[in-house]
Amino acid sequence: MWFGILGETQARHDDGTEVPLGGPARRALLALLLISPGAVVPAERLAEEIEPGGAVSAHALQSQVSRLRTALGPAAPIERVGAGYRIAVPEDAVDAARFEARAAAGRAALTAGDPARAAAELRLALELWRGPALAGLDGSETARAAAARLEEVRLSALEDRIEAELRLGGHRSAVPELRELTARHPLRERPAGLLMRALSAQGSQAEALVVFEQTRRHLAEELGADPSAELTSLHAELLDTAPAPGPAAPPAQLTSFVGREEDAAEAAALLRESRLVTLTGPGGVGKTRLAVEVAATAAAAGVCFVELAALPEGGPSEPPAGDPGPGRAARSVLAALGLRENGLQMGDGPPRTALDRLTAALTDRPLLLVLDNCEHVVDEAAALAARLLAACPRLRVLATSREPLGVIGEHVRQVRPLDEAAAVRLFTDRARAVRRGPTGDPELVRRICAALDGLPLAIELAAARMRTLEPEDLAGRLDDLLGITARGSRTSAERHRTMRAVVAWSWDLLTDAEQRAARRFTVFAGGAGGDGAREVCGTDADTLESLADKSLLETAGAGRLRMLETIRAYGTERLEEAGEGEATRRGHARHLLELHRRADPHLLRAGQLRWLPRLAAEHDNLLAALRWAVGAHERRPALELLAAASTSLWIRGASAAAAPYALALLTADDAEPGRLVGEDLGEEYAACVLLAASTPAGRPLWRRHRTAALEALAAAWPGDRPGRYPVVPFLWMMRTAGETDRRDTPHARDAFALVSSQHDCPDPWARAAARYVSGYATLGEGDADGAERAFEAAVDLFRGLGDRWGTALALDALAGLAAGRADREGAIALTDRALALTGELGAVEDSADLLVNRGDHHVPHDPAAAR
């Protein structure tokens, strides 16, 4: 059951049905008891006040109490306590108590700088009123005092609600209500002050001055008093208000806008559809310049450009601790708009904030607000944008930041580095500004721009060096990216003067955990998948996601992350500075080794289509790990990496990329034949020799090491048990098959024997390879039919494993047999089947060989097709 005294006294059941209370005496009795629920009211006072004009006898009072008890039932017991009565119901069962609690909560929210919550609480509080408080009890002194107090609280709550709505920009709707309120309470200064603020906010300063004069006159005539100091200061503010200068325009640009025309058009279109657009991207990518160009298209609606970079990171803000608040950012916008920070302030209300001032100024104003460089005050910028957009329906916000603001309704447009053509145009344009004549070979310029990640600022800084450097000199210094971009404009902000400063600006905004993960990520030369990045960097997914949000990392498709080279160069310095370089690179090499070992069993099976692209994506990381292992004289990890990666490298035709590291291992001072074989590294040694021989520079090493390596390989593949890498003996035999020097014949026979001995090997791929090899032996003996059966058996075994590479090799052998018996169409059909398989794998070297073979098949009958 609940009770109402804010209007005619009522009692209602929980389902909303009204309790029949009877005549006015019983309503008055209930009202007097409800003024202070649970408190004892003397019977004598009840008797005097329930019937105006005459006291009720004790018997009559007891009778009224009894009837009221019957009406209310046990849900609201009326108890006799000593010489008085009380009603035993909780305070919140009475509308007056609920009203006062909500009114207090609303005022607290207003004081805390949350006008939206304040307005909501106060509206709910005021909706509880159904008429004058304690209506019908005019003869009761107790009721009159309580009603007067409640009416005062009601009036204060009404003023608080109007103040909250004014802060939210509702000055137009508030003016009629405030006019009525000041007419009913001409001596009350707070409504007058609120009305003056509302009129001033809508540009009616003259009317606001009239309100002050009317209030001053009423005070003088009725009380012989002057307006308060607060109201007088409002009057002085109105008199002192000067025409405000126009909003700050975007900075004028001194150089041409190159390579971003399409981006500008897309961002402008997005801004027409959305009220909040944030341009994100790493430092130096051109966010500010793009925002300036986009703002130029919105000039008709009015543009205010606000540079937030000058605000220090963190610092005090107006709202209480725990709320990031938009205080400092709001003051920056006020200054950019040319508005005074200290706006009109009412007498006894909460202090008026910079955000209130902004809201009042922008409520009905069409404007594009550009918030530039938000990243270091992103919480403040987000709070400011959210509150202004909620209160100002004609406002649009374009922000630039290295991470999104994270506001509901935000549209994020990532600003990418320039594409190759645009980067070259920009470099050429800026280089011609500092020197006459050609800017160098176009391919050289493309290489410079690619090394600089296509970042406009880095390209402009590098192009400026053309004043004293030749293009070839500049290209020769690309291993020092931070050095060639170390001189910028003297007039630029410090954070944009060099690429080192640009990256340092972002780096210093990271948490310790983010900095640790970022500097460790620099060991990934080719980007990383999420699992690998977490493992090597010793971090979690949330930290990596945060680095991507802050533009220190970027997504590169297929769930991979990458770091721009300029950022990577800076992070590498921080890695060494932290003393973590050696341990992190060792962990990176270990991760690559484990990944290739995990993949290797699948590379000669049906899983090769899934694993080969994954390993191809790690190619640059593999080379970086090999470079570290060789450079740090870590022979074992280097040999293990080469062997584990050999299957992938040979299938993809990328063996030449790893050859220099194999050469370096074999040319070390102590790299005598056989000395690398210790610790069960026979297959690894053979894989290293085989990779070295894939380039002309490695042929002398091949001749020097092949005997020892083959012996080690034979020990690893005894025939009754498999080694680790079946492709190594197979490729060794294929390598020796092409040797023509008679001195090599015994070695070739030994290699052939090694592979042939795997006919009954437990490894099914080795058995298939043995049949493939035996086909050539049978063919050499003049048995073409036997060779065909061997090759077909190899096709069946390879295909049964799902290995497209081995199947393609065996099909090519069958195509050679078909060509030998003049079955040109059959040979071409078999070659086409093989090409389809190598095409699926991306096996470029084998595809090239197969195309040559198919050309050979065409030669006798169709030279044009052959060509």
Side-chain angles (χ1 to χ4, degrees), residues 368-435:
L368 173 62
L369 181 62
V370 181
L371 300 177
D372 191 36
N373 291 304
C374 298
E375 53 272 353
H376 65 305
V377 287
V378 67
D379 290 336
E380 289 187 46
L384 174 67
R387 296 187 187 183
L388 284 180
L389 288 168
C392 309
R394 302 180 72 185
L395 178 70
R396 294 180 185 273
V397 175
L398 176 63
T400 74
S401 177
R402 298 181 194 181
E403 64 177 303
L405 300 188
V407 175
I408 292 176
E410 175 185 29
H411 281 62
V412 179
R413 175 79 163 69
Q414 188 170 12
V415 182
R416 299 278 186 184
L418 296 173
D419 61 33
E420 182 183 275
V424 170
R425 282 171 51 207
L426 179 64
F427 183 92
T428 303
D429 180 85
R430 301 304 190 255
R432 285 174 177 166
V434 298
R435 69 181 292 170

Side-chain angles (χ1 to χ4, degrees), residues 773-788 790-791 813 816-817 820:
V773 169
S774 68
Y776 284 105
T778 305
L779 184 62
E781 295 169 358
D783 184 0
D785 292 339
E788 187 170 21
F791 291 144
L817 289 176

Side-chain angles (χ1 to χ4, degrees), residues 599-647:
D600 195 71
H602 303 281
L603 297 181
L604 300 175
R605 304 289 191 277
Q608 59 192 184
L609 288 185
R610 179 168 60 92
W611 280 95
L612 281 171
R614 182 172 178 183
L615 296 184
E618 300 292 345
H619 183 73
D620 289 340
N621 285 319
L622 172 68
L623 299 184
L626 286 169
R627 186 161 48 250
W628 165 77
V630 171
H633 306 290
E634 294 284 350
R635 178 176 294 165
R636 182 181 184 89
L639 286 169
E640 289 176 332
L641 268 172
L642 286 171
S646 58
T647 303

Side-chain angles (χ1 to χ4, degrees), residues 429-512:
D429 180 85
R430 301 304 190 255
R432 285 174 177 166
V434 298
R435 69 181 292 170
R436 289 185 173 184
T439 55
D441 175 53
E443 183 56 39
L444 203 60
V445 173
R446 279 193 290 272
R447 188 155 65 88
I448 292 170
C449 293
L452 296 170
D453 298 312
L455 290 176
L457 179 60
I459 290 171
E460 292 189 348
L461 292 172
R465 302 297 297 273
M466 293 282 284
R467 182 169 50 250
T468 56
L469 293 177
E470 292 299 320
E472 293 76 13
D473 297 329
L474 189 60
R477 299 188 183 188
L478 290 178
D479 57 345
D480 181 17
L481 294 178
L482 298 179
I484 66 173
T485 56
R487 294 182 186 175
S489 170
R490 294 187 180 92
T491 61
S492 296
E494 183 63 35
R495 69 185 185 284
H496 275 165
R497 198 164 294 174
T498 67
M499 279 307 300
R500 184 184 299 279
V502 168
V503 180
W505 165 265
S506 296
W507 195 275
D508 292 342
L509 297 178
L510 302 178
T511 65
D512 290 344

Side-chain angles (χ1 to χ4, degrees), residues 635-845:
R635 178 176 294 165
R636 182 181 184 89
L639 286 169
E640 289 176 332
L641 268 172
L642 286 171
S646 58
T647 303
S648 167
L649 291 170
W650 286 107
I651 292 178
R652 293 190 295 110
S655 58
Y661 306 104
L663 288 169
L665 288 172
L666 296 176
T667 54
D669 291 340
D670 58 347
E672 293 298 323
R675 291 191 61 178
L676 298 177
V677 183
E679 303 181 49
D680 193 30
L681 294 178
E683 283 183 275
E684 286 78 0
Y685 173 40
C688 179
V689 174
L690 193 60
L691 284 166
S694 65
T695 61
R699 287 168 189 164
L701 290 169
W702 161 259
R703 288 190 289 271
R704 183 181 180 200
H705 286 269
R706 63 185 177 184
T707 300
L710 182 59
E711 290 173 357
L713 191 57
W717 284 85
D720 57 343
R721 59 179 175 81
R724 288 185 295 271
Y725 305 110
V727 78
V728 175
F730 173 73
L731 290 171
W732 192 282
M733 191 281 304
M734 297 289 283
R735 163 77 188 169
T736 60
E739 294 179 338
T740 58
D741 191 330
R742 271 187 286 177
R743 290 174 299 174
D744 297 328
T745 302
H747 179 75
R749 280 200 301 266
D750 291 341
F752 175 81
L754 173 61
V755 178
S756 299
S757 68
Q758 309 301 320
H759 260 274
D760 298 316
C761 177
D763 185 286
W765 196 90
R767 293 200 302 271
R771 280 154 180 78
Y772 173 77
V773 169
S774 68
Y776 284 105
T778 305
L779 184 62
E781 295 169 358
D783 184 0
D785 292 339
E788 187 170 21
R789 287 192 296 272
F791 291 144
E792 287 175 345
V795 167
D796 291 340
L797 287 172
F798 284 133
R799 185 186 291 138
L801 292 172
D803 174 25
R804 293 158 180 80
W805 186 57
T807 304
L809 294 178
L811 286 172
D812 181 48
L814 287 171
L817 289 176
R821 58 175 179 263
D823 181 7
R824 172 176 162 271
E825 291 184 358
I828 291 173
L830 287 164
T831 305
D832 286 343
R833 287 170 58 191
L835 271 167
L837 295 173
T838 57
E840 286 184 61
L841 295 174
V844 292
E845 284 190 353

